[in-house]
Amino acid sequence: MGSKYTKRYTEEFKRDAIALVDSSGKTVTAVARELGISSESLRGWYRRAKADRGEGAPSELTTAEREELKRLRRQNAEQAKTIEVLRKAAVFFAKESDR
């Protein structure tokens, strides 16, 4: 089982690790082993960096697109709550005006 502690890496460390994969010609797994990090973590960073450079799969989102999607989903949820409150208010006032 995994530990409860999740190690966080700086953006600089991630950039350096990605650059090492690009420049060394070694596999992601080999570089991860040398750095003492999870190969899956490095693979994810590398995939995201490639997408940000426009080299990823056509359906893969860039970091900016991911952030925008997250912001739009949050905004959509807020608007849905507002619409629900307004709908309930409209029903309430419609009943009040019938009296």
Side-chain angles (χ1 to χ4, degrees):
M1 288 242 197
S3 81
K4 293 180 186 177
Y5 176 72
T6 301
K7 188 165 185 177
R8 302 283 180 194
Y9 298 99
T10 64
E11 290 302 315
E12 181 182 11
F13 178 82
K14 292 176 184 180
R15 276 193 309 271
D16 291 346
I18 292 164
L20 189 58
V21 171
D22 285 336
S23 66
S24 69
K26 296 179 183 177
T27 64
V28 171
T29 305
V31 172
R33 193 176 304 120
E34 286 177 11
L35 296 174
I37 60 174
S38 163
S39 61
E40 288 306 309
S41 293
L42 182 54
R43 189 169 284 110
W45 303 339
Y46 188 71
R47 188 177 301 124
R48 209 168 309 122
K50 283 181 66 174
D52 288 347
R53 293 188 304 236
E55 300 169 5
S59 61
E60 200 163 9
L61 300 176
T62 65
T63 301
E65 290 169 332
R66 286 179 198 277
E67 289 172 4
E68 181 181 17
L69 182 58
K70 192 185 308 183
R71 181 186 61 78
L72 290 172
R73 284 181 174 161
R74 191 171 36 250
Q75 182 181 11
N76 189 30
E78 290 172 11
Q79 289 176 346
K81 288 178 187 176
T82 302
I83 290 169
E84 183 62 21
V85 168
L86 292 173
R87 187 189 63 76
K88 288 179 180 179
V91 169
F92 173 80
F93 287 118
K95 288 180 183 177
E96 287 294 315
S97 66
D98 287 343
R99 290 186 184 178

